Amino acid sequence: IDGRIVVSGADDDDVVEVSVQRLSGNNNTDVTTDGFHYVATELTGDDAGNYKLPENKQSEAFKVTPAQVEITWNFMADAKITYGDSVDAVKALVDTAALKGIIPGVTDPLTFEVSVGDYSASTNAGTEVTFDVSYTLPEGAKANNYEITVKAAEGNNKLTVQKADITVTVSVEGKTYDGLAVTPSVTVMFGERELAASEYGTVTYTYAIKGGDTLGAAPADASDSAYTVTASVAESTNFNAATSAAVEFKIARKTLTQGTWSDVVGLTYNGKAAAPVFKPEGVLDGDNVSVGYTIEGDKATGGQAINAGSYTVTAKLEGDDAGNYEFDGVVNVKEFTIARKELTVVK
């Protein structure tokens, strides 16, 4: 900083110059409370001989004013906080690499530090996070020489935590008919962490016949076709809604391996249909199941055993719930005979 002393009183046309010298010990580079002074040492110029310096040769105090430095920061492109992001990841959303941080009189630039208040990886979605960027002076720089302002571009120093995505997997085991609807379960993952049920939204299961219609409720009946189930998880405080892939499962028929036939010994032709009666074992209480019959034999008439002869009767299940059962192929088959009626000879 060049000091100068203004000397008044010389004629306008006279050539007079003042030589000055900064007083020893005064600092003219740093901002100080007292400032610094110059002193006039001599007069020079063509007309200097006509003048003399005043008794007080010292200038008024000069002061160094702080350098004004304004630094504006921006977020990275598409900056977004998602629930669960680490503190370091969130701080990295500020583009500090774009901040030059060059200040007068020092070779090394400022260094910057981002703070995000009370934010943590467990901060709920919907929370507004305020960012602050602070600086550190390089070694050798004096703080009072600068007035440094660090601010966000257009005052935009906040981001809101967004809900995170989850992955839903539905599981269900195939089974043999037992009269009960299937009970699937879900596994909900947030990254590599399995979520507790309290952390995600309501689970809704959708059932269908594979390649067919959607069902109104969880199936309980056996079917030749496979069923499918899909689990949908509603959004929650911190997580978006998600739906699983469809999973197939089957409900097999219950096999009936035992039953009781009525006694067929001593059946004799009487002109009426006759056949043994079968009572299956293993049908669930409350199921609508009855037994029908198919009769085969050389003497069968209209599907009935009336005439004397040998027959095979096959029991079959009927009724609304009959499709949930099947026989093992042996227990429901019975052979029987209707004997000829012996006549009495009347003399």
Side-chain angles (χ1 to χ4, degrees):
I1 298 175
D2 293 328
R4 63 186 178 85
I5 295 177
V6 177
V7 177
S8 61
D11 291 344
D12 292 340
D13 295 332
D14 284 354
V15 178
V16 180
E17 296 178 353
V18 182
S19 297
V20 298
Q21 178 181 353
R22 182 167 58 89
L23 291 177
S24 176
N26 284 266
N27 185 343
N28 71 333
T29 58
D30 295 325
V31 175
T32 61
T33 303
D34 298 331
F36 62 94
H37 299 268
Y38 283 91
V39 64
T41 57
E42 65 176 332
L43 298 176
T44 59
D46 294 343
D47 301 307
N50 297 318
Y51 301 94
K52 68 178 179 178
L53 289 172
E55 184 176 345
N56 182 9
K57 303 180 182 64
Q58 183 173 298
S59 69
E60 295 182 358
F62 290 89
K63 287 191 176 182
V64 179
T65 59
Q68 303 295 308
V69 180
E70 186 174 282
I71 297 172
T72 301
W73 60 267
N74 283 281
F75 288 114
M76 304 288 285
D78 302 321
K80 180 178 71 171
I81 307 173
T82 301
Y83 174 77
D85 284 349
S86 69
V87 172
D88 286 344
V90 171
K91 288 182 177 181
L93 295 175
V94 174
D95 190 6
T96 55
L99 302 180
K100 302 304 181 183
I102 302 299
I103 58 175
V106 182
T107 301
D108 295 329
L110 300 172
T111 57
F112 299 96
E113 176 66 26
V114 179
S115 60
V116 290
D118 296 331
Y119 174 82
S120 71
S122 60
T123 297
N124 286 336
T127 302
E128 192 174 63
V129 179
T130 300
F131 289 72
D132 183 65
V133 178
S134 59
Y135 64 88
T136 300
L137 289 168
E139 185 176 355
K142 296 180 179 180
N144 60 337
N145 286 340
Y146 307 96
E147 289 185 358
I148 301 174
T149 303
V150 182
K151 63 180 183 178
E154 300 179 0
N156 178 26
N157 66 334
K158 294 177 171 57
L159 291 175
T160 300
V161 181
Q162 305 298 310
K163 295 183 179 183
D165 292 332
I166 54 176
T167 302
V168 180
T169 302
V170 63
S171 301
V172 62
E173 293 185 2
K175 66 175 183 175
T176 298
Y177 172 75
D178 59 3
L180 302 175
V182 293
T183 53
S185 61
V186 293
T187 301
V188 181
M189 301 296 295
F190 171 44
E192 297 183 354
R193 181 170 74 86
E194 182 176 352
L195 298 179
S198 60
E199 295 182 271
Y200 52 83
T202 303
V203 181
T204 302
Y205 297 103
T206 302
Y207 303 91
I209 297 173
K210 183 182 179 182
D213 296 334
T214 299
L215 304 176
D221 291 335
S223 174
D224 291 328
S225 300
Y227 294 103
T228 63
V229 60
T230 302
S232 297
V233 176
E235 68 175 354
S236 59
T237 300
N238 293 314
F239 301 104
N240 294 315
T243 300
S244 73
V247 171
E248 296 181 15
F249 65 96
K250 298 194 76 172
I251 301 177
R253 292 181 174 85
K254 182 179 181 180
T255 301
L256 303 180
T257 60
Q258 296 184 29
T260 303
W261 286 98
S262 62
D263 190 8
V264 292
V265 176
L267 287 178
T268 301
Y269 172 76
N270 62 5
K272 299 178 181 180
V277 176
F278 181 71
K279 183 178 181 181
E281 296 180 12
V283 175
L284 299 179
D285 292 341
D287 275 4
N288 182 2
V289 176
S290 59
V291 181
Y293 301 94
T294 300
I295 296 177
E296 297 177 333
D298 292 342
K299 302 297 184 180
T301 302
Q304 293 182 316
I306 300 175
N307 299 317
S310 297
Y311 298 90
T312 300
V313 59
T314 302
K316 58 183 179 179
L317 299 178
E318 299 174 343
D320 293 341
D321 298 315
N324 292 316
Y325 300 92
E326 62 184 4
F327 290 115
D328 67 355
V330 176
V331 68
N332 62 320
V333 179
K334 182 73 174 178
E335 294 180 351
F336 68 98
T337 300
I338 298 177
R340 291 185 177 90
K341 181 178 180 180
E342 185 176 337
L343 299 177
T344 301
V345 177
V346 179
K347 294 181 179 180

